[in-house]
Amino acid sequence: MYDVPLMVARGYASLSFLYSAAEYINTLDVPTFIYHCGDFDPSGVNAGETIEETLHELAPDADITFERIAVTPEQITAWALPTRPTKPSVPLYGDLAEKDARNCSIAGVY
């Protein structure tokens, strides 16, 4: 039997959300694969990194594979995605192009 739960975090996930996810992951006897779709701007990238780091901290013995599947630099290039300046309220990484994951559709991801 297969189980593929969908856990949606918008932007930065709350610690209580990640704690609940880690509790669930800790009950599993199989590896966990997390596929992340996020904006390709400083906050979007950092939000994904934070989710990954926190889940590894909260479930240190779990076999967790975390993969960002959208938006990636390769997708930006391959699909000629439009850019816009990074929001001025986001000082994390300087002037990077912002890509919006809401406007990306991924087909055939296995």
Side-chain angles (χ1 to χ4, degrees):
M1 174 171 227
Y2 297 96
D3 182 24
V4 182
L6 177 63
M7 298 182 181
V8 178
R10 302 191 84 164
Y12 286 92
S14 70
L15 187 55
S16 59
F17 172 84
L18 294 174
Y19 182 82
S20 295
E23 278 188 319
Y24 173 74
I25 290 168
N26 278 324
T27 67
L28 302 175
D29 294 326
V30 295
T32 298
F33 294 85
I34 299 170
Y35 299 103
H36 179 72
C37 298
D39 291 355
F40 192 79
D41 65 3
S43 288
V45 171
N46 185 256
E49 293 169 345
T50 301
I51 290 169
E52 179 179 15
E53 291 169 8
T54 304
L55 286 175
H56 282 291
E57 289 172 7
L58 295 174
D61 298 326
D63 183 3
I64 301 172
T65 299
F66 188 96
E67 182 179 352
R68 181 184 184 89
I69 60 171
V71 175
T72 67
E74 296 79 15
Q75 292 164 344
I76 293 168
T77 301
W79 299 333
L81 297 176
T83 63
R84 63 180 183 230
T86 302
K87 297 172 190 162
S89 61
V90 182
L92 292 174
Y93 297 110
D95 190 25
L96 295 178
E98 182 175 328
K99 301 296 177 184
D100 194 340
R102 293 175 299 181
N103 297 325
C104 291
S105 59
I106 306 297
V109 177
Y110 301 102

